[in-house]
Amino acid sequence: MVAPILSDLGTEILIPICAIIGIVFALFQWSLVSKVKLTAARDASPNAAGKNGYNDYLIEEEEGINDHTVVLKCAEIQNAISEGATSFLFTEYKYVGIFMVAFAVLIFVFLGSVEGFSTRHQPCTYDQTKICKPALATALFSTISFILGGITSVISGFLGMKIATYANARTTLEARKGVGKAFIVAFRSGAVMGFLLAANGLLVLYITINLFKIYYGDDWGGLFEAITGYGLGGSSMALFGRVGGGIYTKAADVGADLVGKVERNIPEDDPRNPAVIADNVGDNVGDIAGMGSDLFGSYAESSCAALVVASISSFGVNHEFTAMLYPLIISSVGILVCLLTTLFATDFFEIKTVKEIEPALKKQLIISTVFMTVGIAIVSWIALPSSFTIFNFGVQKVVKNWQLFLCVAVGLWAGLIIGFVTEYYTSNAYSPVQDVADSCRTGAATNVIFGLALGYKSVIIPIFAIAVSIFVSFTFAAMYGIAVAALGMLSTIATGLAIDAYGPISDNAGGIAEMAGMSHRIRERTDALDAAGNTTAAIGKGFAIGSAALVSLALFGAFVSRAAITTVDVLTPKVFIGLIVGAMLPYWFSAMTMKSVGKAALKMVEEVRRQFNTIPGLMEGTTKPDYATCVKISTDASIKEMIPPGALVMLTPLIVGIFFGVETLSGVLAGSLVSGVQIAISASNTGGAWDNAKKYIEAGASEHARSLGPKGSDPHKAAVIGDTIGDPLKDTSGPSLNILIKLMAVESLVFAPFFATHGGLLFKI
C-alpha cells in the first residue's frame, strides 16, 4: 500500500485552518451586514449610488412618509421579535438541559454495565487477539462526546437565531434602495449562519478526536466508538429544537392566518393582528434555530458513521491518520468551496430585478456542486492510499481511491437532483404549483386534493436518486461508501444553510415592512424575496431528508456490525415484527406533532378572536393588540407538546433493544427509515406547494394569477386554507421526521454494546 500524498502533519494543519477560515469569513460577512444602521441617520457616503445602480435617496421621501419614524418603528419591531425568540429558546434549552443531563447519566450507566463497571482492559470487539480499553472508558467518553455534541447543536441553533433577528429589519430598510441591496443583506446573514455552523461542527469534532486520542492511544476502534456520542448529542438537541420550534411557529402562523386573512380580511403581518409578533418570532425559532441544529446533527452523524466504519477498516487497523480523517478533510474543503461560491452571489454578480433572485440562489447550488466535485477528486487523490480495505460485515473488502471518490460524488450530485426536483414541485414558476393554484377556483377541497397528489408524486425522483446513490456507494465501498455519500451531500452545508436561512430572514423582513407601514412597493420587493426564500427552504428540507436517509443507513450498518449481527433476515419473525412496527413509527410521530400544532392553533385562534371582539379600536388601528399573550400561548404549547414526540423517538430504541434484542431493533430501524423518508418528502413538498400557490395568487404576476386574485377573493381564501393545512406538514412533521430516522439509528449504535450483551430479555425467558 502506498502512503497518501498528504502527510499526517498536513492533515493536522489543514482541518483546523479551514475551520478557522470559515469562522473568520462568517464574522467578515456579519461586519458587512452590521454596516446597515438601524438609526435614522442618512447614508451620506460618497459611493451612495454604488452597487446595484440604485441611488440611496429613499422612495419613502417621494411618497411623503417620514423616514425617521419608519426606521425607529423597524428597530422597535426587530427588538420585539429578537426578545421573543431569545426568551423562548432560553426556556426551551432549560428543559432540554435537564433531559441532556438525565440522558448522559443513562449512557454512562448502560455502557458502563456492559462489563460490570470493570476497569480491566479487555479483548477488542473486532480482533480478539488484541487488548483494548475497558468498557467503562467507552461509557465515560461516549457521555462526554454526547454532551459536547448537544452543546454544539444548541449553540449552532442559537447563533443562527441571533443573526437572523439581527438581519431582518436591516433587510427591510435596504429594500427601500432596491431589491438587490435587500437580497445581499439577507443572503450575507444566511452565510454567517452557514459558515459558523459548518466550521464550529468541524472544529469541535476535530479537537474532541485529538483529545480522546491522548487516552486511547492505538485503540482507534474504542476511540471512534466513543465519538459516536457526538452525533447522538447533536441530533437529540435538534429533535427538540425542530419539534418545539415547529409547534411554536405554526401555532402562531395558523392562528394569525385563519382569523386575520380569512375572517377579518386584513393583510398578512398586519400590525392589528395580535398573533403577528408570535408568527415572526416563530420563523426564527423553527426555521432557523431548529434547522441549524438539524443540519448540524446530520453532519455530526454522517462523520461519526464514516469514522466508526473506518476505524475497523485498514485505515484504523494500520493507524493511517490522514486516511482515517478523510470525512473531516472533505468537510474542510467544503468550507473553502462554499466560501468561493458565496462570493458569486454577493460580489461577482449583481441582482437588479426580482426575476434574478431565484436563479441566483439556484446558481449557488450548481456552482458549489461543480466546485465540490473537483475538491473531492483532489482530496481523494492526496488523502487516500491508492488501495485499501473497508470492513464489510465481518470481511475486509478491497477498495480503490477512485471508487471512494465516486461514492462521495454520487451523494453530492444526488443532493443536487433532490434539490432541483423539490424546486420544480414547490416553486410557483412551474406547472405543478400553478395547477394547485388553479384548483382553488372550485374551493379549498380541490386545492387540498391537488396539493396532496403533488406531494405524493414529488417523492418518486428523490427516492430513485437516493436508491442509485445507495447502490453505487455500497457496491464500491460497503457501508463506508454510504456514510461518505451522505457526507458528500452535506459537504456544501455552508451554502445550503445560507440559502435556507435566507428564506425566514426575508419572510421577517416582509413582516416588518407591513408592520412599520411602509409603502406597497417595498412590500412587493420583500414578497419577491420571500417567495424565492420559500422555494429555497423547501430545497434545504429536501437536502436534509436525503442526507438523513443515507446517514441513517450508514449508522444502521455500523450498528449491525457493532452488535455482531451477521445478516438481517426479514423472514424471521423477530425481524419482521420490528420492520412493521418501525414503519408505523413515523405515522405515530406525525400524528403527535400535527395534533400538537392543532391544539396550540386552536388556543391561538380563540385568543385572536377574543382580542378582535373585545378590544375597542383594534380593527380601526387606534389601539394596540396584546401581542404578549399570543407569544405566551405559543411558548407554553410548544414546551409542553415537544416532550411526548421526543420521548417516543428517544425511548423506542431503548425499549426494543432491552426487551426484544438487536435483531428486532434492526427491523425497527429499517422500517422507520423506509417509511419515514417517503412521508417526510411528501409532507414538506405538499406544504411548500400550498404556500407558494397562495403567494402566486397574491403576487398576480401573470394573466392566469390575476384571474384567480386579488387578495380576499374566493380562490385566494381557498389558497389560504390550503397553506394553513400545509403549515404543520412542511414546518413541523416533515422536517422533524428526518431527525427521527437518524436519531433512532445513532442511539442504537451508541447503545449497541449494551443491547448485544444484555438485550432481548423477553426472548431469554
Side-chain angles (χ1 to χ4, degrees):
M1 283 197 202
V2 185
I5 298 168
L6 183 66
S7 67
D8 288 358
L9 179 66
T11 305
E12 283 169 19
I13 295 168
L14 175 74
I15 296 172
I17 286 219
C18 287
I20 289 162
I21 288 172
I23 293 169
V24 169
F25 183 71
L27 295 175
F28 170 66
Q29 294 291 331
W30 185 72
S31 72
L32 292 175
V33 172
S34 64
K35 284 184 181 164
V36 181
K37 292 286 175 262
L38 271 184
T39 54
R42 168 80 57 80
D43 178 6
S45 60
N47 60 349
K51 196 105 195 255
N52 292 349
Y54 285 99
N55 200 304
D56 276 0
Y57 285 118
L58 306 176
I59 299 162
E60 265 63 28
E61 294 187 0
E62 298 162 27
E63 296 176 7
I65 295 172
N66 185 331
D67 183 34
H68 184 72
T69 52
V70 166
V71 177
L72 287 181
K73 229 174 185 177
C74 285
E76 187 189 319
I77 298 161
Q78 181 208 32
N79 210 18
I81 294 171
S82 182
E83 277 175 18
T86 308
S87 78
F88 167 72
L89 286 182
F90 274 127
T91 312
E92 181 183 77
Y93 294 155
K94 218 163 41 193
Y95 287 92
V96 167
I98 297 165
F99 155 79
M100 202 159 128
V101 172
F103 207 76
V105 172
L106 200 67
I107 293 174
F108 182 73
V109 171
F110 275 30
L111 293 182
S113 67
V114 171
E115 297 286 329
F117 295 98
S118 144
T119 51
R120 278 199 333 271
H121 285 51
Q122 62 195 32
C124 297
T125 313
Y126 300 100
D127 183 357
Q128 298 291 326
T129 58
K130 290 183 180 165
I131 296 296
C132 283
K133 300 292 183 200
L136 195 62
T138 304
L140 177 65
F141 284 104
S142 293
T143 309
I144 294 169
S145 60
F146 167 76
I147 292 168
L148 278 174
I151 291 169
T152 313
S153 179
V154 162
I155 290 171
S156 299
F158 188 76
L159 283 177
M161 181 280 296
K162 274 292 181 206
I163 292 152
T165 51
Y166 183 80
N168 51 16
R170 288 173 166 79
T171 306
T172 311
L173 292 176
E174 286 292 277
R176 299 175 306 174
K177 303 171 189 171
V179 77
K181 296 253 182 182
F183 171 81
I184 284 182
V185 170
F187 189 80
R188 280 195 204 282
S189 314
V192 177
M193 178 186 179
F195 283 94
L196 275 183
L197 188 140
N200 283 344
L202 177 66
L203 198 58
V204 174
L205 182 58
Y206 176 73
I207 292 169
T208 309
I209 290 170
N210 278 304
L211 291 177
F212 283 15
K213 221 166 108 198
I214 297 168
Y215 171 79
Y216 275 100
D218 284 346
D219 176 13
W220 284 16
L223 162 65
F224 290 104
E225 193 174 301
I227 288 287
T228 52
Y230 185 70
L232 176 60
S235 251
S236 49
M237 296 306 109
L239 175 72
F240 291 108
R242 256 302 192 198
V243 174
I247 293 169
Y248 185 107
T249 176
K250 291 305 118 181
D253 200 355
V254 171
D257 280 1
L258 280 182
V259 184
K261 285 189 191 169
V262 179
E263 293 178 12
R264 294 281 168 170
N265 244 340
I266 58 175
E268 188 163 4
D269 297 315
D270 191 295
R272 292 170 291 178
N273 194 328
V276 70
I277 292 285
D279 184 8
N280 281 294
V281 168
D283 290 335
N284 293 295
V285 295
D287 295 347
I288 297 263
M291 192 208 42
S293 292
D294 177 5
L295 279 175
F296 165 74
S298 278
Y299 164 73
E301 280 161 342
S302 53
S303 303
C304 292
L307 291 167
V308 166
V309 180
S311 69
I312 49 177
S313 305
S314 64
F315 300 158
V317 175
N318 305 332
H319 298 106
E320 297 169 14
F321 187 68
T322 298
M324 185 70 219
L325 292 190
Y326 176 70
L328 274 70
I329 300 171
I330 289 177
S331 304
S332 307
V333 172
I335 291 175
L336 302 181
V337 164
C338 291
L339 192 152
L340 187 60
T341 308
T342 303
L343 298 178
F344 277 88
T346 56
D347 295 83
F348 299 160
F349 296 106
E350 294 174 10
I351 285 182
K352 295 188 176 72
T353 62
V354 166
K355 286 202 299 287
E356 293 169 14
I357 300 171
E358 220 167 285
L361 293 167
K362 255 168 69 178
K363 275 184 205 142
Q364 286 286 296
L365 288 175
I366 299 168
I367 293 166
S368 62
T369 303
V370 170
F371 284 167
M372 194 63 212
T373 309
V374 178
I376 296 163
I378 295 167
V379 167
S380 304
W381 176 52
I382 65 168
L384 294 171
S386 55
S387 170
F388 43 90
T389 63
I390 293 291
F391 184 86
N392 180 22
F393 301 121
V395 294
Q396 294 283 354
K397 177 183 172 74
V398 177
V399 180
K400 302 271 191 289
N401 57 3
W402 62 266
Q403 291 175 312
L404 212 49
F405 157 70
L406 286 177
C407 293
V408 187
V410 79
L412 177 67
W413 284 90
L416 186 71
I417 291 167
I418 292 172
F420 277 170
V421 170
T422 309
E423 190 221 11
Y424 174 71
Y425 280 107
T426 56
S427 165
N428 54 26
Y430 302 103
S431 61
V433 171
Q434 291 173 10
D435 289 346
V436 172
D438 192 63
S439 71
C440 295
R441 288 178 195 281
T442 46
T446 41
N447 180 24
V448 170
I449 294 166
F450 270 70
L452 287 172
L454 177 145
Y456 297 147
K457 195 175 172 189
S458 71
V459 173
I460 301 167
I461 298 171
I463 291 298
F464 277 121
I466 292 169
V468 168
S469 37
I470 288 170
F471 183 77
V472 170
S473 37
F474 191 88
T475 307
F476 282 147
M479 279 298 171
Y480 186 70
I482 292 171
V484 291
L487 258 176
M489 209 178 268
L490 291 165
S491 57
T492 52
I493 187 172
T495 295
L497 265 169
I499 291 173
D500 219 341
Y502 155 88
I505 292 169
S506 306
D507 192 356
N508 259 208
I512 291 171
E514 183 74 52
M515 283 186 271
M518 289 175 144
S519 74
H520 71 97
R521 280 207 269 176
I522 305 296
R523 185 67 222 220
E524 274 169 19
R525 286 174 190 166
T526 55
D527 276 352
L529 291 170
D530 183 22
N534 252 349
T535 305
T536 56
I539 292 173
K541 289 180 188 119
F543 264 88
I545 295 162
S547 62
L550 294 176
V551 169
S552 175
L553 187 59
L555 291 164
F556 175 68
F559 161 73
V560 168
S561 304
R562 183 63 188 86
I565 306 170
T566 43
T567 51
V568 178
D569 185 357
V570 184
L571 295 176
T572 55
K574 269 188 199 176
V575 176
F576 193 80
I577 57 168
L579 199 64
I580 202 159
V581 169
M584 172 274 296
L585 287 173
Y587 290 93
W588 188 0
F589 179 82
S590 298
M592 282 177 158
T593 49
M594 297 280 284
K595 185 87 182 286
S596 299
V597 171
K599 273 167 35 187
L602 206 66
K603 285 185 192 149
M604 188 66 79
V605 167
E606 283 166 359
E607 172 58 25
V608 175
R609 274 184 189 151
R610 183 195 67 75
Q611 291 200 28
F612 274 126
N613 293 333
T614 59
I615 298 178
L618 183 55
M619 269 307 279
E620 293 72 35
T622 52
T623 42
K624 265 188 166 182
D626 176 8
Y627 297 128
T629 307
C630 291
V631 170
K632 189 176 182 330
I633 288 173
S634 260
T635 304
D636 293 349
S638 54
I639 297 295
K640 189 169 126 230
E641 298 287 350
M642 75 180 180
I643 295 164
L648 173 73
V649 178
M650 300 301 288
L651 295 177
T652 300
L654 293 177
I655 293 167
V656 175
I658 293 167
F659 293 109
F660 298 93
V662 285
E663 279 99 339
T664 308
L665 181 54
S666 64
V668 168
L669 295 178
S672 66
L673 164 63
V674 168
S675 86
V677 173
Q678 331 278 341
I679 305 172
I681 296 174
S682 69
S684 291
N685 291 350
T686 297
W690 274 326
D691 194 346
N692 271 345
K694 175 202 71 178
K695 286 210 164 58
Y696 174 74
I697 295 173
E698 286 175 352
S702 68
E703 196 55 50
H704 176 237
R706 283 192 288 277
S707 72
L708 297 166
K711 287 184 183 181
S713 66
D714 284 344
H716 178 248
K717 282 185 174 171
V720 170
I721 290 170
D723 173 37
T724 313
I725 300 168
D727 275 338
L729 284 172
K730 77 173 166 49
D731 289 325
T732 314
S733 298
S736 308
L737 278 172
N738 62 54
I739 304 178
L740 169 132
I741 57 181
K742 293 180 306 193
L743 187 51
M744 285 183 19
V746 74
E747 190 183 332
S748 304
L749 173 59
V750 169
F751 286 104
F754 177 79
F755 296 152
T757 318
H758 302 301
L761 295 179
L762 288 181
F763 295 129
K764 288 176 181 170
I765 295 168

